[in-house]
Every structure is written in C-alpha cells, then in structure tokens.
Amino acid sequence: QVQLVESGGGLVQAGGSLRLSCAASGRTFSTFAMGWFRQAPGKEREWVAAISWSSGNTYYAGSAKGRFTISRDNAKNTVYLQMNSLKPEDTAVYYCAAGGTGLTRQAEYDYWGQGTQVTVSS
C-alpha cells in the first residue's frame, strides 16, 4: 500500500556529495518511520539512517553520523539523504524503506524502493 521511489544516485569521487530522494505514495499515514539502507555486493544490507515520521527525530548509524543527514518534506511525502565527505566504502545500492515497528532493523520495515546506485571512486 506504500510505494517508494528513490533517485539521486550516481558516480562521485571520494570527498564529494550526493543527495538521495525518496518519494512515498499510498497509505503513508500509517508509516512510523522512513529510513535508508545500503547493500554492497556480497554484503548484507545495512541500516544507514532513519527518521520518525511523527516527531522528525533522526537516527544514524556510526558510519553515517557526522557525514550524512536525513530529512523530510511532509507536504511532499519525501525523505532525503544528504551524503557528504563520501568514501569508497560508501559504494552500495541505497534503498529507501518505510516501516511501522522500528527504526534501525531491516525487519522493522514493510516497504522498500527499488534502490539507487551510489558509486564513490578514489
């Protein structure tokens, strides 16, 4: 009932920045939180950041804190992930997710976007 579409990925050199967007549609009124995950080839999907839809509180993984910023535009039902000081280890497919039971774990999210590729070169 919730559809998510990510955009904004691309190729960037180390130290550069990208801004990812996730547009949500459908029955978003029941969404507890929206978050960003990433998955590199051969690795498990890992949590990056989350935002509580009701309070706007933000949460970050240790790898993202200080470099990434998650934000929202309530009117547009859109969340963003501003990524600065990118490192090669940030290379992954980034997924937007919407959930109703938690913030940091994959199983706590019910809906997922198709992903957008972020590649950081050195």
Side-chain angles (χ1 to χ4, degrees):
Q1 291 293 100
V2 177
Q3 294 79 46
L4 306 174
V5 179
E6 304 101 329
S7 62
L11 175 65
V12 65
Q13 293 187 356
S17 299
L18 284 174
R19 183 180 176 89
L20 306 183
S21 298
C22 175
S25 61
R27 299 175 63 86
T28 56
F29 68 90
S30 62
T31 299
F32 172 73
M34 295 185 70
W36 289 95
F37 290 75
R38 67 186 183 187
Q39 187 168 26
K43 301 190 69 175
E44 294 184 348
R45 190 171 299 184
E46 65 174 346
W47 173 71
V48 176
I51 184 167
S52 169
W53 203 248
S54 60
S55 69
N57 290 345
T58 58
Y59 307 85
Y60 298 94
S63 60
K65 190 174 184 179
R67 299 189 299 127
F68 295 1
T69 302
I70 187 170
S71 61
R72 66 177 181 179
D73 186 328
N74 292 34
K76 296 181 179 180
N77 285 326
T78 300
V79 295
Y80 306 92
L81 185 68
Q82 178 67 46
M83 304 186 295
N84 299 324
S85 301
L86 284 164
K87 306 173 182 179
E89 50 262 46
D90 295 318
T91 296
V93 176
Y94 283 70
Y95 296 90
C96 176
T101 60
L103 294 167
T104 66
R105 298 185 178 186
Q106 185 175 175
E108 295 170 333
Y109 290 83
D110 301 308
Y111 303 97
W112 297 84
Q114 80 288 347
T116 185
Q117 177 71 48
V118 172
T119 302
V120 184
S121 65
S122 60

